[in-house]
Structures are given as C-alpha cells and as structure tokens.
Amino acid sequence: MEIQGKIKLIDETKTFGNNGFRKRELVITTEEQYPQHIMIEFVQDKCDLLNNYTVGQDVKISINLRGREWTNPQGEVKYFNSIQGWRIEAIQEDNTTGQMPPVPPMEAFAPADDINEEEHDDLPF
C-alpha cells in the first residue's frame, strides 16, 4: 500500500530494550477534502530512510498494516494496529506531465498585414 502527503513531523530515532530495537515516527498530512494526520513508524534499519527528508516535503510512502494481539495482566485480550513504512520517496512538483503550455492571449499577436495572395509556395499539395 502507499500513502501520499506532506511531512508534518519527523521524530528522533528511539531505542528500546536490551536488544536495541529502534523506532522512528513520522507524521504526514494527506491532501484531500478532509486532510488526515497519519503517524507512520519506521523500525530497525528503516529508521535511517528518514535522514534525507524535512518537514514540509511532499512524499509517497510504501506502508504495511500491522496488527497484534495482547493479553493484559487481568486476562483481557486487546488488539493494536500500527502502520509501518518501508520505503519513502519525494514527490517532485514539476510541469513535465505532458501538458501543453498556455497559449498567450490574442492581443499578444500582431496582425499579418504583409500577406500577398498572388505569391504561391512550391509545395506539391
């Protein structure tokens, strides 16, 4: 899955436990009618992917949805979801999308007064 938006926050890398588990969180704001602030976590070696990005940048992030079950000390079963990022790329905003450039208004063109109707070109059609 992929999600696109503007980076709102990039947190520092945090290390947990004796095994050195690393996690870094990023928040993006989607650009739709009702923008959403989505927190995406990057874990272990994927934390370093965020080093080259800054707040305000438009990005596309490849994500996986993760879910887990946990039983609390009282015996109640709880479920948790997370969104994990595994790839991130900047979205370039350029005008190379194949669109024609805008046409200047008619007033920008001078009238052609020097047309000679009797001159013919030598094209065969």
Side-chain angles (χ1 to χ4, degrees), residues 88-115:
I88 181 170
E89 55 188 276
I91 298 175
Q92 268 38 3
E93 291 190 28
D94 55 10
N95 290 340
T96 59
T97 57
Q99 295 179 348
M100 296 287 293
V103 177
M106 197 167 79
E107 296 81 32
F109 297 98
D113 295 333
D114 60 346
I115 297 177

Side-chain angles (χ1 to χ4, degrees), residues 8-56:
K8 180 179 178 122
L9 172 99
I10 300 176
D11 204 2
E12 296 297 318
T13 300
K14 295 179 180 148
T15 305
F16 302 93
N18 296 332
N19 294 334
F21 177 79
R22 298 184 329 140
K23 179 170 112 171
R24 192 169 185 188
E25 296 175 341
L26 169 133
V27 177
I28 66 168
T29 303
T30 60
E31 296 174 357
E32 51 195 344
Q33 183 177 2
Y34 301 104
Q36 302 295 309
H37 305 287
I38 309 291
M39 195 274 296
I40 301 167
E41 60 185 28
F42 289 77
V43 297
Q44 299 298 76
D45 61 333
K46 303 299 182 192
C47 293
D48 298 331
L49 294 176
L50 303 180
N51 291 343
N52 298 324
Y53 293 91
T54 59
V55 171

